[in-house]
Amino acid sequence: MLKIKTNENFASLSGSYLFTETQRRIRLFEAENPEKKVIKLGIGDVTRPLAPTVVEAMLRAAEEMGRADGFHGYAPEAGYGFLRTAIAENYASRGVDVRPEEVYVSDGSKSDASGIFDLFGDLPVVIPDPVYPVYADSCVMSGKKVVYLPATRENGFLPTPDLAPDRASAIFICSPNNPTGAAYGTAGLAEWVAYAKRTGSLIVCDAAYSAFISSDCPNSIYRIPGAKSCAVELNSLSKSAGFTGTRCAWAVFPRELGELAGMWLRRQSAKFNGVAYVVQRAAEAALSKQGMRESEENIAYYRRNAQKICSVLSEKGIYHTGGIDSPYIWLKCPGTDDSWGFFDRMLHRLRIAGTPGAGFGKNGEGYFRLTAFCSDEDADEAAERMRKLL
Ligand code: MLT
């Protein structure tokens, strides 16, 4: 019998991680109904194959690794220079000044968003509700105080700083937002930057879905003057270039943030051993002009899927948002169902797996998320089922 004292903050977490629970229910349904095909519009996992340019780069790098003169061992903790430069150039192509030495390569934004808690002392952590559950779960595990900002239909799912405490805090912004798809415009982000500068707060801006922006919303917080002195930006190739299984992302710690960048490097050196050479070469290729062109075709494909789903929701008069700057469609559960009740109804009656809004926070109750990261056949079939059965 163990007698160690365990981390008591775990007692404040929900029993299982959101997607573990949804997957469990889906697997159970599939085991009981093996003849029924479930259309998976739940977890935001991409389905289009990697771009040819990316695959070629991976093959070349794998071949290099098999030669004594091309072999690579441990990667540098912050990433190879060639990838940090490619990321900085990608920002430059969007008119944003980020230096290669401000970029820290990692295996995913999930790792970065959870790891950043190591840098925080005793401070409130401000988190929109609903949002990607990793921020709140990591905050609770680390014993920090969470202040939730309600993101509601009334505020367009984009909470403003007047809802935040008037003191130095760490603020998570996810724009475009997972799960609602709402993206801050320039004025909205500028308000957050002004608030952070006034209170001495740090913004952690998760831009993992920025490649989906088709409106004029900024695709980086650094488009806002002054943001480099108060914001870390996270980004990832998971959704933009299909790297969910390949794993490559980055955090930008601008020089203006002072000691924080050094602390992040110190943390990464102690806890992380770098991203595989082959993957970093693949990421470099994904960020090349040709790689971006090829990935853009996949993004356009997912956008068409989103429009198919949104069309049927409009036909049915079901309130929904998202699907424009984001691969996610956020809808009000029709009828009297709560989020999990609707999840079960969709799964059992329509054989469509989505994600209950309540899993993203209290204010997600009564909402439901569908992802457009499916095949176009599945999007058509899901739209048809919703047309007939919703
Ligand atoms: C989601 O479905 O919200 C995402 O797949 C989660 C993630 O990116 O880790």
Side-chain angles (χ1 to χ4, degrees):
M1 159 90 166
L2 282 178
K3 291 194 176 153
I4 59 161
K5 183 161 162 46
T6 55
N7 181 348
E8 56 204 20
N9 298 320
F10 275 63
S12 309
L13 289 173
S14 58
S16 55
Y17 182 59
L18 170 62
F19 295 106
T20 312
E21 178 56 19
T22 53
Q23 294 306 105
R24 189 190 68 76
R25 292 192 192 202
I26 297 163
R27 273 196 300 272
L28 189 67
F29 177 82
E30 287 178 325
E32 286 168 358
N33 303 276
E35 75 295 350
K36 294 189 177 155
K37 181 191 166 202
V38 175
I39 300 178
K40 311 266 173 60
L41 306 184
I43 189 160
D45 197 0
V46 292
T47 53
R48 303 292 299 152
L50 292 172
T53 302
V54 169
V55 175
E56 282 158 26
M58 282 174 112
L59 290 171
R60 265 197 315 275
E63 193 271 330
E64 260 186 83
M65 289 287 281
R67 292 194 325 256
D69 63 349
F71 175 76
H72 290 76
Y74 290 125
E77 293 96 346
Y80 284 104
F82 63 78
L83 180 54
R84 298 173 88 190
T85 300
I87 292 167
E89 283 171 356
N90 179 271
Y91 275 106
S93 73
R94 299 189 261 145
V96 176
D97 171 36
V98 166
R99 298 174 199 86
E101 59 277 16
E102 295 174 323
V103 173
Y104 295 80
V105 173
S106 77
D107 70 332
S109 290
K110 189 180 200 172
S111 311
D112 292 341
S114 55
I116 202 163
F117 283 88
D118 285 350
L119 309 191
F120 302 153
D122 183 19
L123 85 185
V125 179
V126 177
I127 297 181
D129 170 2
V131 85
Y132 184 36
V134 168
Y135 318 148
D137 277 3
S138 310
C139 188
V140 169
M141 282 183 206
S142 70
K144 302 269 182 296
K145 178 172 159 19
V146 192
V147 178
Y148 291 102
L149 297 185
T152 60
R153 188 167 167 179
E154 289 66 42
N155 62 21
F157 302 101
L158 295 169
T160 45
D162 49 301
L163 301 167
D166 199 22
R167 57 174 284 207
S169 25
I171 304 145
F172 278 79
I173 289 179
C174 181
S175 185
N177 178 275
N178 174 13
T180 66
Y184 281 101
T186 303
L189 272 188
E191 265 188 70
W192 277 111
V193 169
Y195 161 86
K197 290 175 72 131
R198 183 173 58 74
T199 54
S201 298
L202 175 76
I203 296 174
V204 180
C205 187
D206 184 348
Y209 296 94
S210 55
F212 287 82
I213 293 179
S214 56
S215 67
D216 58 2
C217 289
N219 54 17
S220 166
I221 195 164
Y222 301 129
R223 299 189 80 92
I224 310 298
K228 288 189 88 178
S229 62
C230 62
V232 167
E233 181 163 281
L234 313 181
N235 210 327
S236 159
L237 293 172
S238 283
K239 313 296 160 96
S240 58
F243 272 50
T244 54
T246 307
R247 314 302 312 150
C248 196
W250 64 88
V252 178
F253 280 80
R255 203 167 46 187
E256 289 85 338
L257 293 179
E259 62 168 350
L260 222 52
M263 287 171 70
W264 184 245
L265 183 61
R266 180 70 184 84
R267 187 246 173 226
Q268 292 295 81
S269 323
K271 295 198 175 185
F272 180 64
N273 245 341
V275 173
Y277 175 72
V278 174
V279 170
Q280 293 201 46
R281 281 293 183 199
E284 178 192 30
L287 291 163
S288 68
K289 282 206 175 70
Q290 180 61 18
M292 298 279 288
R293 259 195 298 273
E294 292 170 10
S295 295
E296 186 51 49
E297 287 172 23
N298 288 343
I299 291 174
Y301 177 101
Y302 295 134
R303 275 204 192 105
R304 287 193 293 275
N305 288 345
Q307 287 323 304
K308 289 176 189 173
I309 295 167
C310 287
S311 297
V312 72
L313 293 170
S314 298
E315 276 170 37
K316 296 264 166 193
I318 296 172
Y319 171 80
H320 62 280
T321 182
I324 294 174
D325 290 327
S326 151
Y328 298 127
I329 300 119
W330 182 244
L331 59 120
K332 185 94 190 75
C333 302
T336 53
D337 280 334
D338 64 11
S339 293
W340 280 101
F342 189 61
F343 173 88
D344 287 331
R345 176 148 76 95
M346 287 288 278
L347 181 61
H348 289 261
R349 193 163 142 68
L350 280 74
R351 286 166 283 121
I352 295 175
T355 309
F360 297 96
K362 191 160 67 66
N363 286 291
E365 182 53 277
Y367 286 88
F368 197 68
R369 192 193 78 176
L370 292 171
T371 158
F373 284 131
C374 55
S375 66
D376 56 359
E377 293 85 2
D378 278 359
D380 288 332
E381 177 63 27
E384 208 37 47
R385 289 184 195 179
M386 287 195 269
R387 192 166 280 119
K388 284 201 195 119
L389 298 168
L390 250 192

